[in-house]
């Protein structure tokens, strides 16, 4: 009897010590609002101030959750939902339009403790796509749901549904029209009047990207470390302006645009999704840490600033490890980004040189 | 002038030697037709003979392409299309039914030389889903297309379209009815008469899996090495019987169910897709080779027989490296599999002990 008592006492103390270790107060968070050809000379001071203010608001909302002892999952969702509701970013309200003038949204979330994950793609009626990804993770045996099936599941789960028109913004509509006009002019210039004949793989696709450098970017994401030592990552996007054929990028691809594992890191990516899928970007950073012993910073730089550059894939990632180290490498002119370190230092940046 | 002549001569010979090195005749191929609770005692001799004959036919079709100097991409597509057209496998004709009595097909292909990739998910009207994945890879700037958008693209690309009824088979329809009946009985037994109330995450999901062990399996795939030294991987599936909500598994997730890179390996997976996505199975095998120096066999065994088992993810992979080594590890009772080594040895297996 006595033995059992001592054993239970030992168990109690060791679990308390263990909890203390994890609850040493180390919390940290990083967010992004997209990467691309974001240049100081193209940005009005007012516009820049709007972005910085919204990044700060989202960052602080996520950090507040962590300070209150909330989970990293709750923190990343809180931060992302503020950006989803802002028309500044290409996610939720403010998402770019497809060729058929629709908004088709993708999102993903991953829990670093269990490596459980949820993703949705091609949805148009759920107000918060990241919330849809979360119910897929937590309340279904599946990881990925697409289209109307995903919408039905979200609705059954009691999420807020909206008319597709909720996602409409004038700015994105005008952006689509400009891209379509330019495409039409290019087709006519090429002596090819039938726009149905245009193949997305041809040269003109590249020309368009130079004129509309941000049409593939603007995804939002967040990564966080909570008091329990658990990491989480989440990402939400409207995809690519004028996209066709139900195109899906890297965001809802676990391992490409989103990944989290307590033993390595949590990563959320933004950029030219096709290259991020082919390079398995988010998991590659984790693998370099796990198998080659690289630090978070070294792993991220190797993947984003070397491998992706060689392949031609523009973009960046935000990442965090279990010690609260944060790295936000990108290979484009700018990336909307912000972080609060375990020491409480806040950082907000847009351009490369800050 | 003379110097230039000698330089060109040298260039000519060195390129010839280099070409010889790659064309040393090393070709190899491996295919799978799904993994799961496949036991000798549950299989009639006639049924077993049918599977072995179809595996051999698909294997030889792919190998013939390689022998004729064709690309590994052509070889994996040739092998998979024979399995897609056979009602024996859960891909193409013979695909399992969704809860709404539809067939929603997914497929992926990846080119190890360029690391270009193409995937489709949730399509119902393209006769060969792997062919749809290939046109996405080769004729679009995208990697992933889903639903009607993917179907429209495939049709514009001139692929053979079919009425969704083409994929109907009595065997799969009866399988769906049996699963639905059992589900209904379980619901009534639980005193919960409203089947709409059933949440896919609940315990009954696990009970169902014990009664219908093959409902998540049966995917087909192929990996190959061609005379040029190029690797390729492709996978095609009907997903999970009675699936709902537009569920997508690991097959069209590059890095999870399908991956190829000449510098490491080509992998095609089959099994409980959710675990394969969360574990980034296919790329993890490549990463263990690249970053830890493991052999193809060691890497595959670590991922499939250790990591996936600990997580609870049943299934297996077929894999090949640039030297033509083949490994086909699985952690289930059986996996339909077949291979021809660089030495020309043919192997066909179903159960664990062969």
């Amino acid at each position: 009897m006595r033995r059992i008592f001592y054993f239970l006492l030992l168990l109690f103390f060791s679990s308390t010590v263990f909890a203390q270790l994890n609850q040493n107060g180390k919390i940290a968070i990083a967010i992004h609002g997209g990467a691309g050809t974001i240049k100081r000379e193209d940005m009005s001071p007012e516009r820049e101030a709007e972005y910085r203010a919204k990044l700060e608001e989202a960052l602080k909302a996520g950090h507040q959750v962590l300070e209150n002892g909330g989970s990293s999952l709750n923190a990343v969702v809180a931060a992302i939902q503020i950006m989803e509701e802002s028309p500044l970013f290409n996610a939720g309200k403010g998402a770019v339009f497809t060729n058929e003038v629709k908004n088709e949204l993708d999102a993903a979330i991953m829990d670093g403790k269990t490596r459980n994950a949820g993703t949705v793609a091609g949805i148009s009626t759920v107000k918060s796509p990241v919330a849809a990804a979360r119910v897929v993770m937590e309340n279904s045996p599946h990881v990925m749901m697409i289209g109307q099936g995903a919408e039905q599941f979200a609705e059954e789960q009691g999420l807020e549904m909206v008319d597709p028109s909720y996602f409409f913004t004038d700015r994105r509509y005008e952006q689509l029209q400009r891209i379509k006009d330019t495409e039409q002019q290019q087709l006519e210039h090429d002596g090819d009047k039938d726009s149905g004949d245009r193949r997305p793989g041809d040269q003109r696709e590249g020309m368009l990207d130079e004129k509309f450098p941000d049409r593939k970017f603007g995804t939002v994401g967040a990564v966080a470390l909570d008091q329990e030592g658990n990491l989480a990552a989440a990402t939400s996007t409207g995809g690519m302006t004028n996209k066709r054929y139900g195109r899906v990028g890297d965001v809802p691809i676990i391992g490409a645009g989103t990944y989290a594992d307590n033993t390595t890191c949590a990563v959320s990516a933004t950029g030219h999704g096709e290259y991020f899928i082919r390079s398995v970007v988010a998991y590659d950073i984790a693998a370099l840490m796990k198998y080659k012993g690289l630090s978070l910073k070294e792993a991220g730089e190797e993947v984003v600033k070397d491998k992706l550059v060689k392949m031609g894939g523009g973009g960046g990632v935000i990442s965090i490890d279990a010690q609260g180290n944060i790295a936000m490498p990108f290979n484009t002119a700018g990336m909307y980004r912000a972080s609060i370190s375990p020491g409480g230092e806040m950082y907000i940046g847009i351009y490369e040189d800050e």
Side-chain angles (χ1 to χ4, degrees), chain A residues 12 35 40 74 80 99 101 139 146 150 236 246-247 254 262 309 314:
Chain A
F12 174 75
R40 223 176 235 111
N74 285 342
I80 285 179
N99 182 261
V101 201
N139 300 338
I146 62 175
S236 181
R247 178 259 185 187
I254 293 299
N262 280 0
V309 171

Side-chain angles (χ1 to χ4, degrees), chain A residues 222-289:
Chain A
V223 294
L225 168 68
D226 65 26
Q227 292 184 13
E228 307 281 334
N230 292 320
L231 296 174
T235 317
S236 181
T237 188
M240 188 191 287
T241 306
N242 202 25
K243 67 185 175 185
R244 300 172 192 212
Y245 307 118
R247 178 259 185 187
V248 172
D250 62 314
V251 168
I253 307 301
I254 293 299
T258 309
Y259 188 75
D261 179 355
N262 280 0
T263 66
T264 50
C265 59
V267 179
S268 169
T270 172
H272 193 155
E274 279 71 14
Y275 292 92
F276 282 62
I277 295 176
R278 293 165 55 198
S279 302
V280 201
V281 164
Y283 184 69
D284 201 27
I285 292 173
L288 282 166
M289 294 175 70

Side-chain angles (χ1 to χ4, degrees), chain A residues 18-343:
Chain A
F18 190 67
Q20 285 294 333
L21 269 179
N22 279 339
Q23 288 181 1
N24 237 340
K26 266 199 183 177
I27 57 170
I29 184 166
I31 64 170
H32 70 75
T37 318
I38 310 161
K39 290 179 184 161
R40 223 176 235 111
E41 55 266 34
D42 301 338
M43 181 93 82
S44 70
E46 297 75 27
R47 191 91 183 148
E48 188 178 318
E50 278 185 85
Y51 274 106
R52 290 186 190 271
K54 193 52 80 175
L55 285 169
E56 186 172 338
E57 183 190 341
L59 183 73
K60 285 184 170 169
H63 195 257
Q64 189 64 53
V65 171
L66 299 171
E67 274 192 329
N68 294 345
S71 71
S72 50
L73 286 170
N74 285 342
V76 295
V77 170
I80 285 179
Q81 285 184 326
I82 284 172
M83 292 188 282
E84 282 181 340
E85 284 169 23
S86 162
L88 289 172
F89 306 99
N90 176 19
K93 192 166 184 66
V96 298
F97 283 100
T98 67
N99 182 261
E100 291 88 26
V101 201
K102 293 198 289 184
N103 303 106
E104 291 176 354
L105 309 164
D106 310 330
I109 190 166
M110 189 160 180
D111 176 355
K113 183 183 180 187
T114 59
R115 279 191 294 146
N116 204 351
T119 81
V120 290
I123 63 172
S124 302
T125 60
V126 185
K127 189 181 179 194
S128 170
V130 74
R134 188 172 186 174
V135 292
V136 171
M137 174 173 78
E138 295 185 337
N139 300 338
S140 95
H142 302 316
V143 169
M144 184 172 201
M145 295 184 187
I146 62 175
Q148 289 177 353
E151 292 174 345
Q152 189 197 328
F153 182 73
E155 188 163 15
E156 287 177 22
Q157 291 288 314
L159 293 196
E160 188 175 349
M161 306 301 285
V162 292
D163 187 85
S165 63
Y166 164 79
F167 299 105
F168 182 94
T169 58
D170 286 331
R171 178 185 168 215
R172 298 300 189 186
Y173 184 73
E174 284 157 19
Q175 198 177 37
L176 176 69
Q177 297 312 320
R178 282 203 309 278
I179 287 187
K180 284 193 166 184
D181 287 351
T182 308
E183 199 174 281
Q184 191 55 37
Q185 283 167 25
Q186 285 185 350
L187 286 169
E188 284 166 11
H189 182 76
D190 294 345
D192 172 5
K193 309 261 178 194
D194 176 13
S195 70
D197 245 21
R198 187 179 161 275
R199 288 279 170 273
D202 69 16
Q203 287 303 320
R204 285 162 291 189
E205 186 79 17
M207 288 163 63
L208 263 177
D209 287 347
E210 280 159 41
K211 295 206 179 192
F212 302 99
D214 68 341
R215 81 183 191 112
K216 286 180 184 156
F217 307 109
T219 297
V220 308
V223 294
L225 168 68
D226 65 26
Q227 292 184 13
E228 307 281 334
N230 292 320
L231 296 174
T235 317
S236 181
T237 188
M240 188 191 287
T241 306
N242 202 25
K243 67 185 175 185
R244 300 172 192 212
Y245 307 118
R247 178 259 185 187
V248 172
D250 62 314
V251 168
I253 307 301
I254 293 299
T258 309
Y259 188 75
D261 179 355
N262 280 0
T263 66
T264 50
C265 59
V267 179
S268 169
T270 172
H272 193 155
E274 279 71 14
Y275 292 92
F276 282 62
I277 295 176
R278 293 165 55 198
S279 302
V280 201
V281 164
Y283 184 69
D284 201 27
I285 292 173
L288 282 166
M289 294 175 70
K290 191 161 46 170
Y291 302 141
K292 275 186 84 174
L294 263 55
S295 71
L296 182 78
K297 187 169 186 292
E298 290 166 342
E301 302 228 321
E302 181 166 330
V303 173
V304 174
K305 295 191 172 179
D306 184 30
K307 288 179 166 189
L308 271 174
V309 171
K310 281 176 184 156
M311 211 182 197
V317 306
I318 53 167
S319 59
I320 189 168
D321 67 17
Q323 286 71 49
N325 296 308
I326 290 168
M328 305 191 280
F330 56 98
N331 61 33
T332 44
M335 178 165 84
Y336 299 107
R337 61 200 187 277
S339 63
I340 298 178
S341 71

